[in-house]
Amino acid sequence: FLKKMPLFSNFFFPEINDSEGHPSSSHQTLKGTSKWATSLENLLEDPEGVKRFREFLKKEFSEENVLFWLACEEFKKTQGKKQMQEKAKEIYMTFLSSKASSQVNVEGQSRLSETILETPHPLMFQKLQDQIFNLMKYDSYSRFLKSDIFLNHKKSEEQEENSPEAQTAAKRASRIYNT
């Protein structure tokens, strides 16, 4: 889907960098998978978590849910009526219209007509976004936490933490802070 729309992927999912301009890593947070397991919100705040969750949802044929949720989050930050109209139309055509390429299954989507796209506002998709969030939270997310994708990532994280290099770095850090 994103390959068909390269503009869309950069439009809604720019690369996330740390303060020094390096691609951010889940290791800078409260240990990636541990944080992901605490809530869907924490998972969706971590670029690596989103990547793994998308990978899982793709296998379940429901990746459009997280893509719609992310597109709505990005839409809320849009400035200017013209840009907002363009993004609103793109979201509508991609996820909500009856001809959408990645249609999400939400109640009331038929009531959201194309006329609303003329006067967009940042929260115009909020109800639909909330429905999709709850669908993911109470359905896909719990399965994700039991999936091979999550468990294998967690295992590799734990192996990294227990590696001699990581322990040496931790000892150096403790010596620095305990002097």
Side-chain angles (χ1 to χ4, degrees):
F1 150 71
L2 288 177
K3 286 187 176 28
K4 287 188 268 179
M5 299 181 72
L7 172 69
F8 184 80
S9 61
N10 294 334
F11 201 56
F12 288 114
F13 314 112
E15 186 173 332
I16 297 175
N17 297 312
D18 65 16
S19 59
E20 295 171 14
H22 304 293
S24 69
S25 154
S26 61
H27 299 295
Q28 296 167 339
T29 63
L30 163 90
K31 302 291 179 256
T33 54
S34 300
K35 190 170 182 183
W36 303 350
T38 60
S39 73
L40 178 57
E41 290 89 340
N42 285 339
L43 172 70
L44 293 172
E45 287 173 4
D46 184 339
E48 183 67 21
V50 169
K51 179 182 167 186
R52 301 296 173 169
F53 193 47
R54 280 183 62 189
E55 194 180 321
F56 171 75
L57 291 176
K58 194 178 285 188
K59 288 182 175 188
E60 290 211 333
F61 304 101
S62 60
E63 183 187 24
E64 68 278 358
N65 290 335
V66 73
L67 294 176
F68 173 71
W69 188 88
L70 290 165
C72 290
E73 283 299 290
E74 203 53 41
F75 177 76
K76 291 176 194 175
K77 301 172 194 168
T78 305
Q79 301 293 313
K81 186 177 179 186
K82 185 87 174 125
Q83 286 92 340
M84 201 173 271
Q85 282 176 324
E86 288 170 12
K87 280 190 183 184
K89 185 173 183 179
E90 189 167 0
I91 289 171
Y92 180 82
M93 297 309 286
T94 305
F95 300 107
L96 300 171
S97 97
S98 58
K99 299 172 189 151
S101 55
S102 297
Q103 191 176 40
V104 291
N105 185 13
V106 289
E107 293 173 30
Q109 74 186 50
S110 57
R111 289 195 304 264
L112 187 67
S113 68
E114 286 190 57
T115 56
I116 193 172
L117 302 176
E118 299 305 313
T119 55
H121 58 87
L123 301 177
M124 66 188 283
F125 298 115
Q126 190 64 50
K127 276 186 177 174
L128 302 176
Q129 185 187 15
D130 290 345
Q131 283 182 35
I132 291 299
F133 180 85
N134 286 327
L135 178 70
M136 291 189 300
K137 183 175 182 174
Y138 297 111
D139 187 39
S140 322
Y141 175 65
S142 57
R143 285 196 310 280
F144 170 71
L145 296 178
K146 297 172 191 158
S147 73
D148 287 343
I149 291 172
F150 176 79
L151 296 173
N152 290 339
H153 191 72
K154 183 177 181 181
K155 189 176 182 180
S156 69
E157 249 182 20
E158 288 166 356
Q159 287 171 346
E160 275 181 38
E161 286 171 20
N162 295 326
S163 72
E165 299 85 32
Q167 290 174 357
T168 305
K171 285 179 187 171
R172 278 198 308 268
S174 70
R175 278 199 303 271
I176 292 167
Y177 292 111
N178 292 330
T179 56

Coordinates of all heavy atoms in Angstrom, one line a residue, residues 59-100:
K59 N 0.3 -9.0 8.8 CA 0.1 -10.5 8.8 C -1.4 -10.8 9.1 O -1.9 -11.8 8.7 CB 1.0 -11.2 9.8 CG 2.4 -11.3 9.4 CD 3.3 -12.0 10.3 CE 4.7 -12.1 9.8 NZ 5.5 -13.0 10.6
E60 N -2.0 -9.9 9.9 CA -3.4 -10.1 10.2 C -4.4 -9.4 9.2 O -5.6 -9.4 9.5 CB -3.7 -9.5 11.6 CG -3.1 -10.3 12.7 CD -3.9 -10.3 14.0 OE1 -4.6 -9.3 14.2 OE2 -3.8 -11.2 14.8
F61 N -3.8 -8.8 8.2 CA -4.6 -8.1 7.2 C -5.4 -7.0 7.8 O -6.5 -6.7 7.4 CB -5.5 -9.1 6.4 CG -4.8 -10.2 5.8 CD1 -4.7 -11.5 6.4 CD2 -4.0 -10.0 4.6 CE1 -4.0 -12.5 5.8 CE2 -3.3 -11.1 4.1 CZ -3.3 -12.3 4.6
S62 N -4.8 -6.3 8.7 CA -5.5 -5.1 9.3 C -4.5 -3.9 9.6 O -4.7 -3.1 10.4 CB -6.2 -5.5 10.6 OG -5.2 -6.0 11.6
E63 N -3.4 -3.8 8.8 CA -2.5 -2.8 8.9 C -3.1 -1.4 8.7 O -2.7 -0.4 9.2 CB -1.3 -3.0 7.9 CG -0.2 -1.9 8.0 CD 0.8 -2.0 6.9 OE1 0.6 -2.5 5.8 OE2 1.9 -1.5 7.2
E64 N -4.2 -1.4 7.9 CA -4.8 -0.1 7.6 C -5.3 0.6 8.9 O -5.4 1.8 9.0 CB -6.0 -0.2 6.7 CG -7.2 -1.0 7.2 CD -7.1 -2.5 7.1 OE1 -6.0 -3.0 6.6 OE2 -8.0 -3.2 7.6
N65 N -5.6 -0.2 10.0 CA -6.0 0.4 11.2 C -4.9 1.4 11.8 O -5.2 2.5 12.1 CB -6.4 -0.6 12.2 CG -7.7 -1.3 11.8 OD1 -8.5 -0.8 11.1 ND2 -7.8 -2.6 12.3
V66 N -3.7 0.8 12.0 CA -2.7 1.7 12.5 C -2.3 2.8 11.6 O -2.0 3.9 12.0 CB -1.5 0.8 13.0 CG1 -0.6 0.3 11.9 CG2 -0.6 1.6 14.0
L67 N -2.3 2.5 10.3 CA -2.0 3.6 9.3 C -3.0 4.7 9.4 O -2.7 5.9 9.3 CB -1.9 3.0 7.9 CG -0.8 2.0 7.6 CD1 -0.9 1.5 6.2 CD2 0.6 2.7 7.9
F68 N -4.3 4.4 9.5 CA -5.3 5.4 9.7 C -5.1 6.2 11.0 O -5.2 7.4 11.0 CB -6.7 4.8 9.7 CG -7.9 5.7 10.0 CD1 -8.2 6.7 9.1 CD2 -8.5 5.6 11.2 CE1 -9.3 7.6 9.4 CE2 -9.6 6.5 11.5 CZ -9.9 7.5 10.6
W69 N -4.9 5.5 12.1 CA -4.6 6.2 13.3 C -3.5 7.1 13.3 O -3.6 8.3 13.7 CB -4.4 5.1 14.5 CG -4.4 5.7 15.8 CD1 -5.4 6.0 16.6 CD2 -3.2 6.3 16.5 NE1 -5.0 6.6 17.8 CE2 -3.7 6.8 17.7 CE3 -1.9 6.3 16.2 CZ2 -2.8 7.4 18.6 CZ3 -1.0 6.9 17.1 CH2 -1.5 7.5 18.3
L70 N -2.4 6.7 12.7 CA -1.2 7.5 12.5 C -1.5 8.7 11.6 O -1.0 9.9 11.9 CB 0.0 6.7 12.0 CG 0.6 5.7 12.9 CD1 1.5 4.7 12.1 CD2 1.4 6.4 14.0
A71 N -2.2 8.5 10.5 CA -2.6 9.6 9.6 C -3.4 10.6 10.3 O -3.2 11.8 10.1 CB -3.3 9.0 8.4
C72 N -4.3 10.2 11.2 CA -5.2 11.1 11.9 C -4.3 11.9 12.9 O -4.5 13.2 13.1 CB -6.3 10.4 12.7 SG -7.5 9.7 11.6
E73 N -3.4 11.3 13.6 CA -2.5 12.0 14.5 C -1.7 13.1 13.8 O -1.6 14.2 14.2 CB -1.5 11.0 15.1 CG -2.1 10.2 16.2 CD -2.6 11.0 17.4 OE1 -1.8 11.6 18.1 OE2 -3.9 11.0 17.5
E74 N -1.2 12.7 12.6 CA -0.4 13.7 11.8 C -1.4 14.8 11.3 O -1.0 16.0 11.3 CB 0.2 13.0 10.6 CG 1.4 13.6 10.0 CD 2.5 14.0 11.0 OE1 2.8 13.2 11.9 OE2 3.1 15.1 10.8
F75 N -2.6 14.5 10.9 CA -3.6 15.4 10.4 C -3.8 16.5 11.5 O -4.0 17.7 11.1 CB -4.9 14.7 10.0 CG -5.9 15.7 9.6 CD1 -5.9 16.2 8.3 CD2 -7.0 16.0 10.4 CE1 -6.9 17.1 7.9 CE2 -8.0 16.8 10.0 CZ -7.9 17.4 8.7
K76 N -3.9 16.1 12.7 CA -4.2 17.1 13.8 C -3.1 18.2 13.9 O -3.4 19.3 14.4 CB -4.2 16.4 15.2 CG -5.4 15.5 15.3 CD -5.3 14.7 16.6 CE -6.3 13.6 16.7 NZ -6.1 12.8 18.0
K77 N -1.9 17.9 13.4 CA -0.8 18.9 13.5 C -0.8 19.8 12.2 O 0.0 20.7 12.2 CB 0.5 18.2 13.6 CG 0.6 17.3 14.8 CD 1.9 16.5 14.7 CE 1.8 15.4 15.8 NZ 2.9 14.4 15.5
T78 N -1.7 19.6 11.3 CA -1.6 20.3 10.0 C -2.0 21.7 10.2 O -3.0 22.0 10.9 CB -2.6 19.6 9.0 OG1 -2.2 18.2 8.9 CG2 -2.5 20.3 7.6
Q79 N -1.3 22.6 9.6 CA -1.5 24.0 9.6 C -2.0 24.5 8.2 O -1.6 24.0 7.2 CB -0.3 24.8 9.9 CG 0.4 24.4 11.3 CD -0.5 24.9 12.5 OE1 -1.0 26.0 12.5 NE2 -0.7 23.9 13.4
G80 N -2.9 25.4 8.2 CA -3.4 26.0 6.9 C -4.5 25.2 6.3 O -4.5 24.0 6.3
K81 N -5.5 26.0 5.9 CA -6.8 25.4 5.3 C -6.5 24.5 4.1 O -7.0 23.4 4.0 CB -7.8 26.5 5.0 CG -9.1 25.9 4.6 CD -10.2 26.9 4.3 CE -11.5 26.2 3.9 NZ -12.5 27.2 3.5
K82 N -5.6 25.0 3.2 CA -5.3 24.3 2.0 C -4.7 23.0 2.3 O -5.1 21.9 1.7 CB -4.4 25.2 1.1 CG -4.2 24.6 -0.3 CD -5.3 24.9 -1.3 CE -4.9 24.5 -2.7 NZ -6.0 23.6 -3.2
Q83 N -3.6 22.9 3.1 CA -3.0 21.7 3.5 C -3.9 20.7 4.2 O -3.9 19.5 4.0 CB -1.7 21.9 4.4 CG -0.6 22.5 3.6 CD -0.6 24.0 3.7 OE1 -1.6 24.7 3.9 NE2 0.6 24.6 3.4
M84 N -4.8 21.3 5.1 CA -5.7 20.5 5.8 C -6.7 19.9 4.9 O -7.1 18.7 5.0 CB -6.4 21.4 6.9 CG -7.0 20.6 8.0 SD -7.7 21.7 9.3 CE -6.2 21.8 10.3
Q85 N -7.2 20.6 3.9 CA -8.1 20.1 2.9 C -7.5 18.9 2.1 O -8.1 17.9 1.9 CB -8.6 21.2 1.9 CG -9.6 22.1 2.4 CD -10.0 23.2 1.5 OE1 -9.1 23.7 0.7 NE2 -11.2 23.6 1.5
E86 N -6.2 19.1 1.7 CA -5.5 18.1 1.0 C -5.3 16.8 1.8 O -5.6 15.7 1.3 CB -4.1 18.6 0.5 CG -4.2 19.6 -0.6 CD -2.9 20.3 -0.9 OE1 -1.8 19.8 -0.4 OE2 -2.9 21.3 -1.6
K87 N -4.9 17.0 3.0 CA -4.7 15.8 3.9 C -6.0 15.1 4.2 O -6.1 13.9 4.3 CB -3.9 16.2 5.2 CG -2.4 16.3 5.0 CD -1.7 16.5 6.3 CE -0.3 16.7 6.2 NZ 0.4 16.8 7.5
A88 N -7.0 15.9 4.5 CA -8.3 15.4 4.8 C -8.9 14.5 3.7 O -9.4 13.4 3.9 CB -9.3 16.5 5.2
K89 N -8.7 15.1 2.5 CA -9.1 14.3 1.3 C -8.3 13.0 1.1 O -8.9 12.0 0.8 CB -9.0 15.2 0.0 CG -9.6 14.5 -1.2 CD -9.6 15.4 -2.4 CE -10.3 14.6 -3.6 NZ -10.4 15.4 -4.8
E90 N -7.0 13.1 1.3 CA -6.2 11.9 1.2 C -6.6 10.9 2.2 O -6.7 9.7 1.9 CB -4.7 12.3 1.4 CG -3.8 11.2 1.1 CD -2.3 11.7 1.0 OE1 -2.0 12.8 1.2 OE2 -1.5 10.8 0.7
I91 N -6.9 11.3 3.5 CA -7.3 10.3 4.5 C -8.6 9.7 4.1 O -8.8 8.5 4.2 CB -7.4 11.0 5.9 CG1 -6.0 11.3 6.4 CG2 -8.2 10.1 6.9 CD1 -5.9 12.2 7.6
Y92 N -9.6 10.6 3.7 CA -10.9 10.1 3.3 C -10.8 9.1 2.1 O -11.4 8.0 2.2 CB -11.8 11.3 2.9 CG -13.2 10.8 2.5 CD1 -14.1 10.6 3.4 CD2 -13.5 10.7 1.1 CE1 -15.4 10.2 3.1 CE2 -14.8 10.3 0.7 CZ -15.7 10.0 1.7 OH -17.0 9.6 1.3
M93 N -10.0 9.4 1.1 CA -9.9 8.6 -0.1 C -9.2 7.3 0.2 O -9.5 6.3 -0.4 CB -9.3 9.3 -1.3 CG -10.1 10.6 -1.7 SD -11.8 10.2 -2.1 CE -11.6 9.4 -3.6
T94 N -8.2 7.3 1.1 CA -7.4 6.2 1.4 C -8.1 5.2 2.4 O -8.0 4.0 2.2 CB -6.0 6.6 2.0 OG1 -5.4 7.5 1.1 CG2 -5.1 5.4 2.2
F95 N -8.8 5.8 3.4 CA -9.3 4.9 4.4 C -10.8 4.9 4.6 O -11.4 4.0 5.2 CB -8.7 5.4 5.8 CG -7.2 5.3 5.8 CD1 -6.5 6.5 5.8 CD2 -6.6 4.1 5.9 CE1 -5.1 6.4 5.8 CE2 -5.2 4.1 6.0 CZ -4.4 5.2 5.9
L96 N -11.6 5.9 4.2 CA -13.0 6.0 4.5 C -14.0 5.9 3.4 O -15.1 5.5 3.6 CB -13.2 7.4 5.3 CG -12.4 7.5 6.6 CD1 -12.5 8.9 7.1 CD2 -12.8 6.5 7.6
S97 N -13.6 6.3 2.2 CA -14.6 6.2 1.1 C -14.9 4.8 0.8 O -14.1 3.9 1.1 CB -14.0 7.0 -0.1 OG -13.5 6.1 -1.1
S98 N -16.0 4.6 0.1 CA -16.4 3.2 -0.3 C -15.4 2.6 -1.3 O -15.4 1.4 -1.5 CB -17.8 3.3 -0.9 OG -17.9 4.1 -2.0
K99 N -14.7 3.5 -2.0 CA -13.7 3.0 -3.0 C -12.2 3.1 -2.4 O -11.3 3.0 -3.1 CB -13.7 3.9 -4.2 CG -15.1 3.9 -4.9 CD -15.1 4.9 -6.0 CE -16.5 5.0 -6.5 NZ -16.8 6.3 -7.1
A100 N -12.1 3.3 -1.1 CA -10.8 3.4 -0.5 C -9.9 2.2 -0.7 O -10.4 1.1 -0.7 CB -11.0 3.6 1.0

